[in-house]
Amino acid sequence: MQVSFNPSLEIDRVLRETALSVPSIGPDFDPGVRPADPRFGDFQANGVLGYAKRKGINPRELGEALLHALQASDKLDPKQIEMTLSGPGFLNFRLSGEFLWQWLLEHAGKEDFRAGATSLRKGRTIVIDYPSANTAKQAHIGHIRPMVIGEAIARLLDFCGAKTIRDNHIGDWGTNFGTLIMKIKRDGINLEQISENPLAALDNLYKAGSALEQEQPELREQSRSELVSLQNGDPENTALWEQIVDISTRAFDALFAQLGVRVDHTLGESFYRDKVDRIYDELTETGLAEESDGALVVWHDEVKKFSRDNERPYPFNIRKKDGASNYATTDLATILYRVEEFKAEEVVYLTDARQQDHFEQLFLTTKKWFAAKNYPVPQMNHVWWGTILGPDKKPFKTKSGETIKLQALLDEACQRAYIVVTAKNPELEEEERRQIARTVGIGALKYADLSSNRTQDYVFDWDRMLSFEGNTAPYLLYAVARINSIFRKTGIDPDAAIEGASPLETEAEQTLARKLMGLPNALELTLHDLRPHFLCTYLHELAGAYSSFYNADKVMVEETDVRARRLLLCARARTVLITGLELLGIDPLERM
RNA sequence: GUGGGCGUAGCUCAGUUGGAUAGAGCAUCGGAUUUCUAAUCCGAGGGUCGGGGGUUCGAAUCCCUCCGCCCAUGCCA
């Protein structure tokens, strides 16, 4: 018997083929195969109902015709896949225990899952635009989302066969440098002598500089001229700028290391400063851009909001009236670079919800521009998310109303986790407890960010995310640790082949086995919308199925065949949980 | 005003082209532990899916309308 990584695709394919032989069904038939409620089977095909409705035929009769054709075709072995028609026209498919078992045998290790998933995005070159931090400012709680969601999505795309390029598009050429340089020069500060937290010092200098500009507006002119001379290549200002960027880079690298974020390229706005003239030229030459109020803008008349006769004009402004570029300009230059240099077939942007209009305009403009110039148009995708809220349902702040620094957040997560770990497992060495606490704390923080639908705001709650109950990282990590414990005690390598197992028997075994086979669907859902919470939900259900199994059926029993079978289930659960956690950017633990 | 998101159990959230009796976790209540990590498991109660109307075999999901919350609304990113 042959089983595929995702049996529902196989069923879908067979249904489409078979449908061609049914007179009342045309080639536009979509079987609509999906996982079913366990009461009805493993998979169900709902497409018959919708199709019958559109064609004005009786759905039950259509279902019967399709089912008969299916049974006659011999394409699905009825001993392995039981097919039934029920209700108004649902087609239900239940896999045999033998089929399930075969699936478990053929999908043993992480590489088998990867091999199954790799067809989903095989060889596709995808640039991921993240985490796109700003220079000269300390990271705060808001920056955790691009790092965590971006990393998870990048790992998922990697796993599914894409050739990913993680491009950190930093804001290192903005107007804030004028103010910062003005303030640094005014105070005669030597950046090399700033000690402990240089980025915090820069942050404060900028704030002080801005405040000063408020008091003495004439200083704004000075800041502007510092910026102009920086942009004209003045050696002194360039040296200062390099120091500032360097300080920022170091600070962010430290955060990336703690959060497991990997960056392939850091090509910020400064990198594109000599590439913007081409943007102005090409967009003007193709007739897309025109002057408006002294600025160079692109209108999109087919979209009401961006059309020139909208009651509130909202064009895509690509050059300010003072002649300077802005983020629209650099984003256009950037996408061109990614297509020309990286051969990007797809670009995924990760930002918060507030930038939706910008990306809609960017995508519209890029499509028209590339079409006019005959450049390959990449698929463009804006992955956006909501706000992290505090208990008061307002953006999460400290008690005194200040923005929470990202480093402080990470430290608190580890501290809180350490207290919990120490309470639960005091006999471990302190160093190991510290290490476990780091994994649990950071993992809990990440999981909280990933487990709810990203397009919604979510309420931040320390106690909930660090709880060992519910849909949390500790619950998943604990499930893995318990499995590890079994293998440690028996001295068996969880990755080694397990021989002599007898087929599945108990209800808990079968439920767990079915849940294990749900991985392909979870991956596809996650990939389709680039929403990691689908994977989280699946992993939580899997860990739950494992825990139920663990409580119901003892693994280390005398009968060697039963023991082997249950060990195999443990090994598979472990592999899937570990694989899933790693895709989310969470490090599994040997014990906790 | 326009556009986007949202409103589902006391709380936090799921809910895959419209599908079968709307789910989970927490909290509450009742059980299970000479245990392979009980940091767990099993069970119970809890809902006019914001209100109203419509489309149809079928609506949390689609359409209309109203109410409420968050966000965006040309030269910051």
Side-chain angles (χ1 to χ4, degrees):
Chain A
M1 175 175 42
Q2 275 213 321
V3 298
S4 58
F5 178 58
N6 189 348
S8 76
L9 292 182
E10 184 69 11
I11 292 172
D12 182 272
R13 190 181 60 76
V14 168
L15 278 176
R16 281 175 197 275
E17 274 176 25
T18 308
L20 295 176
S21 69
V22 177
S24 48
I25 303 180
D28 55 335
F29 174 67
D30 178 0
V33 178
R34 64 169 69 181
D37 185 311
R39 285 173 299 180
F40 306 120
D42 291 299
F43 300 103
Q44 63 177 199
N46 297 346
V48 169
L49 291 159
Y51 190 80
K53 182 174 191 165
R54 281 195 301 279
K55 302 288 171 177
I57 40 185
N58 183 312
R60 183 81 201 183
E61 284 169 17
L62 187 69
E64 274 166 13
L66 183 56
L67 183 60
H68 288 148
L70 204 55
Q71 285 163 339
S73 77
D74 220 27
K75 282 178 180 151
L76 293 178
D77 181 354
K79 287 204 293 291
Q80 301 307 337
I81 303 182
E82 180 197 348
M83 297 163 275
T84 51
L85 181 69
S86 76
F90 298 106
L91 276 174
N92 293 328
F93 301 85
R94 191 182 294 281
L95 306 180
S96 69
E98 193 188 337
F99 187 105
L100 271 177
W101 187 243
Q102 190 63 31
W103 193 90
L104 290 177
L105 292 178
E106 288 185 21
H107 297 92
K110 192 187 298 178
E111 289 315 309
D112 297 316
F113 297 124
R114 186 194 297 277
T118 200
S119 62
L120 295 169
R121 287 292 181 280
K122 194 167 184 60
R124 190 168 173 81
T125 301
I126 305 177
V127 172
I128 306 167
D129 187 310
Y130 92 109
S132 312
N134 285 327
T135 308
K137 276 185 204 154
Q138 287 182 96
H140 56 79
I141 184 169
H143 291 102
I144 199 173
R145 304 216 74 182
M147 294 189 197
V148 170
I149 296 172
E151 183 63 28
I153 284 176
R155 289 184 185 204
L156 179 79
L157 292 171
D158 275 334
F159 192 76
C160 294
K163 189 177 150 223
T164 61
I165 297 170
R166 300 141 190 245
D167 186 4
N168 183 17
H169 187 70
I170 56 170
D172 61 354
W173 204 241
T175 46
N176 57 327
F177 282 96
T179 302
L180 200 48
I181 291 173
M182 176 277 287
K183 175 67 179 165
I184 288 168
K185 283 187 172 174
R186 194 181 159 85
D187 291 2
I189 287 164
N190 182 347
L191 289 180
E192 276 166 20
Q193 286 174 3
I194 301 179
S195 51
E196 35 184 308
N197 190 342
L199 188 58
L202 288 179
D203 211 338
N204 290 331
L205 281 170
Y206 175 73
K207 280 179 196 146
S210 297
L212 215 54
E213 287 173 1
Q214 291 286 326
E215 290 164 27
Q216 305 175 46
E218 67 275 13
L219 285 177
R220 285 183 199 161
E221 197 43 56
Q222 197 186 324
S223 298
R224 247 192 299 273
S225 77
E226 297 291 5
L227 182 68
V228 169
S229 65
L230 169 66
Q231 295 187 339
N232 289 337
D234 169 75
E236 188 186 0
N237 283 10
T238 301
L240 277 175
W241 172 78
E242 280 170 356
Q243 281 182 299
I244 293 166
V245 170
D246 189 51
I247 287 169
S248 302
T249 304
R250 281 169 206 262
F252 272 93
D253 283 348
L255 289 168
F256 294 164
Q258 290 171 80
L259 283 163
V261 171
R262 199 189 92 206
V263 165
D264 297 320
H265 300 281
T266 300
L267 301 176
E269 290 167 348
S270 65
F271 176 79
Y272 294 98
R273 61 187 187 250
D274 62 354
K275 298 175 177 60
V276 295
D277 284 343
R278 181 174 166 195
I279 307 305
Y280 305 139
D281 292 347
E282 292 196 3
L283 287 173
T284 305
E285 160 207 329
T286 52
L288 289 167
E290 63 187 61
E291 277 215 7
S292 171
D293 287 344
L296 192 64
V297 306
V298 179
W299 299 99
H300 295 287
D301 288 329
E302 73 280 19
V303 178
K304 190 180 169 219
K305 194 195 327 193
F306 306 134
S307 80
R308 71 193 74 211
D309 51 8
N310 193 34
E311 60 268 34
R312 297 196 187 194
Y314 195 9
F316 195 45
N317 192 337
I318 64 167
R319 188 177 63 203
K320 300 194 278 184
K321 67 175 156 197
D322 66 3
S325 63
N326 62 8
Y327 70 120
T329 333
T330 45
D331 271 348
L332 288 166
T334 301
I335 194 162
L336 180 62
Y337 185 85
R338 287 172 176 163
V339 167
E340 290 190 332
E341 301 300 321
F342 295 147
K343 310 297 177 201
E345 293 163 275
E346 183 171 342
V347 185
V348 179
Y349 295 87
L350 290 118
T351 80
D352 65 57
R354 293 173 299 183
Q355 297 189 40
Q356 288 175 90
D357 288 342
H358 168 73
F359 284 103
E360 195 180 343
Q361 290 174 309
L362 176 68
F363 296 170
L364 285 166
T365 306
T366 301
K367 281 177 196 161
K368 293 176 187 174
W369 166 36
F370 281 20
K373 298 294 289 183
N374 233 344
Y375 302 149
V377 181
Q379 183 184 333
M380 293 167 277
N381 205 340
H382 182 210
V383 170
W384 54 273
W385 52 79
T387 309
I388 302 177
L389 306 176
D392 58 356
K393 304 288 182 72
K394 293 189 173 144
F396 195 33
K397 298 267 169 76
T398 62
K399 278 179 192 157
S400 51
E402 288 158 27
T403 306
I404 297 166
K405 299 284 185 290
L406 183 52
Q407 187 61 61
L409 192 78
L410 302 183
D411 292 345
E412 185 168 354
C414 297
Q415 237 167 41
R416 285 174 180 265
Y418 180 73
I419 292 167
V420 178
V421 170
T422 300
K424 304 285 189 192
N425 215 344
E427 63 270 19
L428 292 176
E429 294 291 325
E430 177 176 339
E431 181 48 33
E432 186 173 3
R433 290 205 308 271
R434 294 250 176 238
Q435 235 159 26
I436 291 170
R438 268 196 290 277
T439 301
V440 171
I442 302 290
L445 212 46
K446 287 184 178 180
Y447 195 83
D449 218 61
L450 294 167
S451 58
S452 70
N453 190 341
R454 62 174 165 75
T455 52
Q456 284 196 252
D457 298 347
Y458 79 91
V459 177
F460 192 93
D461 183 337
W462 281 118
D463 293 333
R464 186 153 38 87
M465 74 177 73
L466 282 164
S467 166
F468 290 81
E469 297 169 13
N471 189 10
T472 66
Y475 180 79
L476 299 183
L477 291 168
Y478 177 60
V480 175
R482 285 169 114 189
I483 301 173
N484 287 336
S485 177
I486 290 177
F487 284 101
R488 210 166 40 237
K489 290 221 162 142
T490 57
I492 297 169
D493 175 3
D495 292 317
I498 294 169
E499 305 290 343
S502 51
L504 300 170
E505 225 169 67
T506 71
E507 197 181 330
E509 287 169 357
Q510 299 203 25
T511 304
L512 176 56
R514 290 203 144 80
K515 194 50 86 177
L516 285 165
M517 211 178 59
L519 175 70
N521 181 251
L523 287 176
E524 281 178 21
L525 279 179
T526 309
L527 191 66
H528 184 262
D529 285 344
L530 299 179
R531 291 183 201 260
H533 80 282
F534 288 121
L535 182 56
C536 294
T537 302
Y538 167 73
L539 292 174
H540 177 234
E541 287 171 3
L542 175 61
Y546 176 76
S547 294
S548 298
F549 157 77
Y550 178 92
N551 264 271
D553 299 333
K554 191 168 167 61
V555 176
M556 299 313 296
V557 292
E558 294 296 323
E559 304 95 309
T560 52
D561 61 322
V562 176
R563 175 199 285 217
R565 172 215 307 166
R566 292 184 181 163
L567 276 171
L568 190 139
L569 283 170
C570 288
R572 294 298 181 275
R574 176 179 175 275
T575 305
V576 174
L577 285 170
I578 287 177
T579 303
L581 284 168
E582 285 174 349
L583 286 176
L584 297 174
I586 296 171
D587 301 325
L589 286 164
E590 174 58 29
R591 59 177 176 173
M592 61 189 291

